[in-house]
């Protein structure tokens, strides 16, 4: 009897020890009872739509999110007004008071050190998050910083790379050669440090194959996650389109009865040759004759970037009767509406790697707008010629396609139907099915309780 009593007491004490520790030992104040994720982009968060969609999807499934990046442009209102999202701004290295005329390699080294220090300071304050989702490119210094952070500072954090492109190919375009020593170092760096990530998202299946073949990434850690339009990109009704065209100053002088509207968006970077568009419009204009008049075209170019001044200068040297170009900068709320008003969209994106895809095409499909897109290897994963758009290589091709879609109504109607089919593929559902398991998010039928408790509870 005494032995039984002793065993019972020992077992009772054994099971009471963890209970006592749980009640008496204070919790680490940095660990939140709700799951936390960090979304990091070494770029302007307002011009990083895919990362914004990631953030919103994480919040919708119960996460608190720290969004880190440059804050030059305001992100979506659904982000700025959400109490479960906290934005942490990075100060651009361009703001440093550096002497002019420094060699590129010296300037680059100073910027890397400056950004590395900032990123470590921000991430240290956010340690113990469950996940760290990082946009690539740029890979320098983010890959190294994230590796050190999850290895030595916040070991419970799982590091995930969202591949939009390859950083070394972007650098090769900037330096004008893929044989430059800096490009080779960048390629080695990207290949080496990407292997330490817990998982990899990538925008195309072709990119996933490159990660396995050339980067030696474990295929089981790669999840192709194609871009899909967010909910704000919707087809415009005829009434809303007519009202927009009649009231917005962007479309002053435009006749919806006779004229055609073309829209393209750009970051004015070297991987988009806008002279192709201008040359095509010149050919279109000269192809209109009294015997065979063509509809007038208004081309609206949205966006901003480093080569914008050169583009405006090029426009000023053109003289057309049947074509006109207007450049605008639109807010995140205005952009989908203007896209939705277009008869046709144009994508001039020419991938530096050949394996990414232009988000602008996804936005256009979300609005049910067919696309004329410049050809590169991975494009067929998004644009299928004569189904949801047309594919061109040269300015001559683009000019011919503009003439065809605006003189052959059956062709425009056909690719319009294809674009409306693409409109049904939405980011939220694709993300939940594809990316959700990486973040250990339960199936939709199990989310009722999570979603009902996802409002702010004052942690920020």
């Amino acid at each position: 009897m005494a032995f039984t009593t002793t065993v019972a007491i020992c077992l009772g004490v054994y099971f009471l020890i963890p209970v006592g520790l749980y009640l008496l030992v204070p919790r680490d104040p940095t660990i939140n009872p709700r799951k936390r994720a960090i979304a990091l982009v070494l770029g302007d968060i307002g011009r990083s739509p895919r990362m914004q969609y990631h953030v919103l999807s994480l919040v919708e499934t119960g996460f608190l999110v720290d969004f880190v990046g440059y804050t030059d442009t305001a992100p979506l209102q659904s982000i700025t007004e959400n109490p479960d999202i906290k934005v942490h701004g990075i100060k651009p290295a361009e703001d440093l008071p550096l002497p002019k005329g420094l060699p590129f390699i010296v300037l680059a080294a100073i910027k890397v050190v400056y950004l590395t220090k900032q990123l470590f300071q921000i991430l240290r304050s956010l340690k113990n998050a469950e996940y760290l989702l990082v946009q690539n490119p740029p890979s320098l210094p983010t890959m190294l910083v994230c590796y050190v952070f999850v290895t030595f500072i916040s070991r419970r954090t799982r590091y995930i790379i969202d591949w939009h492109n390859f950083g070394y190919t972007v650098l090769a375009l900037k330096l004008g050669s893929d044989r430059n020593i800096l490009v080779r170092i960048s390629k080695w760096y990207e290949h080496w440090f990407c292997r330490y990530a817990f998982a990899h998202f990538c925008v195309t299946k072709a990119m996933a194959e490159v990660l396995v073949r050339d980067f030696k990434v474990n295929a089981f850690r790669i999840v192709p996650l194609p871009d899909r339009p967010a909910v704000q990109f919707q087809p415009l009704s005829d009434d809303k389109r007519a009202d927009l065209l009649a009231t917005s100053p962007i479309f002053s002088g435009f006749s919806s009865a006779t004229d055609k509207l073309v829209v393209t968006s750009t970051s004015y970077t070297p991987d988009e040759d806008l002279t192709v568009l201008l040359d095509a419009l010149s050919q279109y204009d000269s192809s209109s004759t009294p015997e065979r008049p063509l509809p007038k075209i208004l081309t609206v170019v949205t966006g901003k970037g480093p080569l914008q001044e050169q583009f405006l200068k090029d426009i000023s040297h053109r003289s057309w009767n049947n074509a006109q170009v207007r450049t605008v900068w639109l807010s995140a709320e205005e952009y989908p509406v203007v896209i939705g008003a277009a008869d046709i969209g144009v994508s001039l994106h020419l991938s530096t790697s050949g394996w990414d895809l232009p988000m602008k095409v996804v936005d256009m499909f979300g609005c049910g707008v067919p696309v004329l897109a410049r050809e590169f290897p991975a494009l067929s994963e998004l644009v299928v010629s004569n189904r949801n758009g047309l594919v061109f290589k040269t300015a001559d091709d683009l000019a011919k396609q503009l003439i065809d879609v605006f003189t052959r109504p059956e062709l425009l109607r056909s690719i319009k139907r294809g674009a409306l089919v693409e409109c049904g593929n939405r980011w939220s559902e694709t993300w939940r099915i594809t990316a959700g398991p990486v973040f250990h998010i339960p199936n939709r039928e199990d989310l009722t309780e999570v979603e009902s408790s996802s409002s702010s509870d004052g942690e920020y």
Side-chain angles (χ1 to χ4, degrees), residues 142-282:
T142 50
M143 278 191 176
L144 174 60
V145 170
C146 292
Y147 163 70
V148 172
F149 176 69
V150 300
T151 304
F152 301 105
I153 299 174
S154 185
R155 299 188 67 178
R156 75 192 300 264
T157 303
R158 290 180 168 177
Y159 164 38
I160 302 169
I161 300 175
D162 188 37
W163 294 85
H164 295 204
N165 204 341
F166 300 131
Y168 72 91
T169 63
V170 176
L171 182 61
L173 179 64
K174 184 174 184 178
L175 298 180
S177 171
D178 58 1
R179 302 182 64 83
N180 186 290
I181 185 63
L182 294 178
V183 175
R184 294 183 181 184
I185 293 172
S186 175
K187 184 176 182 179
W188 170 86
Y189 167 91
E190 203 166 7
H191 280 216
W192 181 263
F193 283 103
C194 77
R195 301 175 190 178
Y196 295 98
F198 168 71
H200 304 259
F201 297 134
C202 51
V203 295
T204 63
K205 295 176 182 177
M207 184 177 287
E209 294 172 1
V210 174
L211 287 174
V212 174
R213 183 183 67 244
D214 298 342
F215 287 59
K216 309 305 179 187
V217 175
N218 188 326
F220 291 104
R221 294 185 176 274
I222 301 173
V223 180
L225 177 62
D227 286 324
R228 293 287 183 258
V231 67
Q232 66 267 28
F233 292 92
Q234 299 287 343
L236 281 188
S237 67
D238 292 341
D239 290 343
K240 287 185 177 180
R241 182 178 187 271
D243 182 63
L244 177 71
L245 295 176
T247 59
S248 172
I250 297 172
F251 308 111
S252 61
F254 181 84
S255 171
S256 57
T258 58
D259 301 349
K260 299 298 180 181
L261 178 61
V262 176
V263 174
T264 187
S265 57
T266 179
S267 298
Y268 293 100
T269 50
D271 59 351
E272 291 182 315
D273 186 359
L274 293 170
T275 58
V276 172
L277 173 63
L278 298 184
D279 290 346
L281 291 175
S282 293

Side-chain angles (χ1 to χ4, degrees), residues 368-397:
V369 175
V371 178
L372 310 181
R374 194 169 185 186
E375 185 180 42
F376 60 90
L379 183 66
S380 60
E381 291 191 27
L382 183 61
V383 180
V384 180
S385 197
N386 291 307
R387 182 183 299 176
N388 51 26
L390 300 172
V391 177
F392 64 90
K393 292 182 179 180
T394 65
D396 293 346
D397 297 338

Side-chain angles (χ1 to χ4, degrees), residues 30-39 55 58-67 82-86 129-131 453-460:
T30 63
I31 299 179
N32 197 290
R34 285 176 60 188
K35 285 186 176 181
R36 291 176 52 239
I38 305 166
V55 167
L58 285 165
V59 169
E60 287 168 3
T61 49
F63 277 81
L64 296 171
V65 180
D66 292 285
F67 199 1
N82 194 311
D84 289 343
I85 302 170
K86 187 173 182 180
E130 276 76 8
Y131 299 97
S453 62
S454 64
S455 60
S456 174
D457 47 10
E459 285 79 12
Y460 284 142

